[in-house]
Amino acid sequence: MNDTQNRPPLPDRLSIDPRSPYYNAAIFEHDVGIRLNDRERTDVDEYCISEGWIKVPAGKALDRKGNPLMTKVKGKVEAFYREG
């Protein structure tokens, strides 16, 4: 119960890529979950709540630097901390 008070607030936009300006290491010390249209997604690389989109890998395709190609999926986005 004390752990919930130590969690930083979830931002409007967050990325798992350390090179991104939207990356925040303090948030990833906790287990973060994302819901899109009331369904939990586990493959999200970046999200934006105010604009209503998430970025997910587009299959197995890679760009020339070896990173997965991303596609944007739009809908109602909710970010939350998982319990446990």
Side-chain angles (χ1 to χ4, degrees):
M1 189 162 163
N2 191 18
D3 186 40
T4 59
Q5 296 174 356
N6 296 333
R7 294 178 181 168
L10 289 168
D12 177 58
R13 188 168 176 180
L14 184 65
S15 175
I16 65 169
D17 184 4
R19 298 169 295 175
S20 171
Y22 301 106
Y23 177 78
N24 187 338
I27 291 175
F28 291 114
E29 292 175 2
H30 309 283
D31 195 16
V32 177
I34 304 295
R35 280 191 202 99
L36 179 70
N37 298 330
D38 298 325
R39 294 185 70 193
E40 190 168 347
R41 299 287 300 251
T42 58
D43 59 346
V44 177
D45 279 11
E46 187 173 348
Y47 73 81
C48 184
I49 295 172
S50 63
E51 295 177 13
W53 55 260
I54 61 172
K55 285 188 180 179
V56 294
K60 295 183 180 182
L62 301 175
D63 65 7
R64 64 181 176 214
K65 295 181 181 178
N67 300 319
L69 290 178
M70 296 295 170
T71 185
K72 226 183 234 189
V73 181
K74 295 185 179 188
K76 179 184 163 197
V77 179
E78 299 173 65
F80 62 94
Y81 285 114
R82 290 190 183 114
E83 298 298 323

